[in-house]
Structures are given as C-alpha cells and as structure tokens.
Amino acid sequence: MRFAILLITAFVIIITVYNQESPEVDFKQVTTGNANHVGEIIQKKGESVLIEERYTHFNQPLSLIWITINDETDIFTDQQEETTLTKLKKGDMVEVWNDGMILESYPAKTTALKIRKLQPK
C-alpha cells in the first residue's frame, strides 16, 4: 500500500514539473524566418545552452541541440538590443544561427553565430 501511494505521489510530481507552461510564442509572427534553430532553453551549462526546438522553417524534425556561445557570438533581444549570456535563462524562447557545423551526437552540438531572444506574446 505504501509503495502504491509513493508511486502515485512520484507520478503526480513528475507530471507537475513536466507540464510547467512555457511562455506562449507565436513563432510565425515573432521569428525572422531564417534562423537555423528556434526553441526553448531547457538547460544552461557553462558557456552552452540546451535548446528544445519548437519550430522549424526548414521542415526538419524537431530535436534537442547544445548551443555553444563564445566571444564571437552576438546575443540580442527581440528589439535588436545587445544582451549577454547571463541574461538568457531557462524557459527563454530563442532563435539561433549557427556556423554551419553540427556534431551529430545526441543531443546535437553546434556553435552559435547569433542568438535572438524572442518576446512571449
């Protein structure tokens, strides 16, 4: 009986955490249409962010991708104002332009040339 209660409690907690709502973004309206990746930051680790793709302009399957940010990466707000990696946080929706190289690991890995933080509607 205790095991069943523990199992149900764990299930409820997992569902609650997993279903936390992300900001709503109308990608067709707020994206530029030419970014390589569009999605939500689901993790930050050092100089990298893990993006869960939410939209694609290129009819490619959506996936997870680690984005490395270096000194040459330009980071902007939706108003085209410069910002920094420290201002990007888990849950932010972003557009990412990469350098054309993608490591085919899982999740994939690439280096960002430009990141644009999208504004929720």
Side-chain angles (χ1 to χ4, degrees):
M1 181 68 170
R2 287 183 187 172
F3 180 73
I5 292 172
L6 181 61
L7 187 60
I8 292 169
T9 303
F11 180 74
V12 169
I13 291 171
I14 290 170
I15 295 298
T16 301
V17 170
Y18 184 75
N19 285 332
Q20 288 181 348
E21 290 190 26
S22 299
E24 285 189 36
V25 174
D26 183 351
F27 292 114
K28 290 182 180 180
Q29 296 296 319
V30 299
T31 61
T32 60
N34 63 0
N36 300 104
H37 310 282
V38 180
E40 178 182 359
I41 297 174
I42 60 171
Q43 185 178 348
K44 282 181 73 174
K45 185 176 182 182
E47 300 295 312
S48 298
V49 292
L50 180 61
I51 304 294
E52 180 178 25
E53 291 183 314
R54 298 293 181 90
Y55 183 77
T56 179
H57 301 289
F58 308 111
N59 295 321
Q60 297 292 320
L62 301 177
S63 64
L64 296 174
I65 187 164
W66 277 106
I67 308 292
T68 299
I69 299 164
N70 60 29
D71 292 338
E72 296 177 17
T73 304
D74 294 321
I75 305 173
F76 294 94
T77 66
D78 65 317
Q79 301 298 315
Q80 295 300 325
E81 297 169 355
E82 285 191 48
T83 190
T84 63
L85 173 60
T86 57
K87 302 268 176 118
L88 296 177
K89 62 187 182 308
K90 183 178 174 181
D92 284 345
M93 297 294 177
V94 293
E95 284 185 298
V96 178
W97 290 260
N98 68 3
D99 61 2
M101 300 284 293
I102 297 180
L103 297 176
E104 294 184 12
S105 57
Y106 187 80
K109 297 175 184 171
T110 192
T111 301
L113 295 176
K114 178 179 173 182
I115 297 178
R116 179 174 168 251
K117 182 177 175 181
L118 301 174
Q119 184 71 3
K121 63 177 180 172

